[in-house]
Amino acid sequence: MKELLPKIYEYINALSPKRRAHTYGVEKAAFMLAKVHYPQLDKALVAAAALLHDCTKELNEDEQLEAAEKYGAVFGDEEKAVCKLRHAVTGAAVAKTLFGLPDEAVSAIRYHTTAKADMSPMEKILYLADFTDENRKDELCRNVRKRYYENLKKDKCSAMDETLLYALEESIAVLKEECKKIHPHTIEARNFLKENLANEDNKRRFEQ
Ligand SMILES: [Fe+2]
Ligand SMILES: [Fe+2]
């Protein structure tokens, strides 16, 4: 995986300065999250997933369609309806086809915008790192970053899932407020985490 990184950096350096800064910010945030919660993960793979997560974000609608055809990406109904969601699908296809990334990283890119139920460590890291990138100054991202550090202080074990749940619930609230559709994967992710955290909580109480 390490040998792929120069090719990935070359690709990323062709992006706009704003996208590049966000990309490196997500890489930094992903390293930090991996170090704290999943130190067993391959650092180069974490870097590759973070660096490529928005690699097609700057493509316009036509270019998204072209990339989908070229790299074999298939849009679901939600991606067909909302252009903003397409870069996760085309980005994952580019990561797989052009760079040969393994499924673990490809899936993290695929679900970095919507999340999904029962996320893997790599999927969780990328979803959260996209919010906690220090370059993002909007209210939602600032709140998620703040909440993560508060959760980390309280309990390192549950900090990741608690913050993911918070980020999902806040994102759903924003979409509702803006009268936008909520992707079913986002709702499933929220429900899965909610139930999982409640079960963990019950288990801990039972063991005390
Ligand atoms: Fe994205
Ligand atoms: Fe992003």
Side-chain angles (χ1 to χ4, degrees):
M1 186 47 52
K2 247 186 187 164
E3 60 283 358
L4 264 181
L5 288 176
K7 193 179 160 191
I8 295 176
Y9 283 117
E10 200 183 313
Y11 192 93
I12 298 310
N13 286 334
L15 299 176
S16 70
K18 188 185 167 207
R19 185 63 39 200
R20 220 161 45 222
H22 168 62
T23 297
Y24 288 127
V26 171
E27 182 194 32
K28 185 179 166 190
F31 277 155
M32 192 281 283
L33 291 169
K35 194 175 163 195
V36 174
H37 301 283
Y38 303 109
Q40 75 280 11
L41 285 181
D42 179 347
K43 219 179 156 196
L45 198 56
V46 172
L51 292 168
L52 289 174
H53 85 284
D54 273 347
C55 68
T56 58
K57 179 106 187 216
E58 294 184 323
L59 302 185
N60 65 30
E61 210 160 323
D62 288 342
E63 289 165 339
Q64 286 291 349
L65 293 173
E66 272 169 39
E69 206 177 326
K70 188 171 176 188
Y71 298 108
V74 181
F75 297 131
D77 288 342
E78 287 78 12
E79 289 83 26
K80 280 180 192 158
V82 184
C83 188
K84 218 176 145 185
L85 295 173
R86 292 182 195 165
H87 76 282
V89 181
T90 51
V94 167
K96 188 184 175 80
T97 314
L98 194 61
F99 294 96
L101 255 58
D103 289 348
E104 190 184 5
V106 170
S107 181
I109 296 171
R110 169 67 185 83
Y111 295 104
H112 84 269
T113 50
T114 60
K116 68 190 252 300
D118 199 8
M119 285 190 281
S120 69
M122 189 75 82
E123 287 162 350
K124 287 182 183 183
I125 283 177
L126 194 53
Y127 183 79
L128 195 53
D130 202 19
F131 279 96
T132 57
D133 158 27
E134 63 195 8
N135 296 293
R136 292 185 73 173
K137 311 285 187 211
D138 57 282
E139 196 187 355
L140 177 60
C141 291
R142 276 191 282 117
N143 288 343
V144 172
R145 270 200 302 272
K146 186 167 166 265
R147 185 60 72 98
Y148 171 71
Y149 288 109
E150 285 167 4
N151 287 336
L152 192 61
K153 251 189 223 166
K154 266 192 261 167
D155 181 4
K156 186 180 146 185
C157 284
S158 64
M160 170 69 88
D161 283 359
E162 289 284 3
T163 315
L164 283 168
L165 178 63
Y166 175 79
L168 284 160
E169 291 190 332
E170 291 298 301
S171 302
I172 289 169
V174 169
L175 289 167
K176 271 185 173 173
E177 219 174 274
E178 294 173 352
C179 292
K180 287 185 179 154
K181 263 179 91 177
I182 299 156
H183 198 296
H185 288 156
T186 306
I187 298 169
E188 286 160 18
R190 181 264 175 198
N191 289 347
F192 185 93
L193 278 166
K194 183 93 183 157
E195 203 180 320
N196 228 30
L197 282 163
N199 288 343
E200 287 292 318
D201 208 34
N202 284 340
K203 214 164 83 187
R204 270 192 235 181
R205 260 184 249 163
F206 186 73
E207 284 166 359
Q208 271 171 10

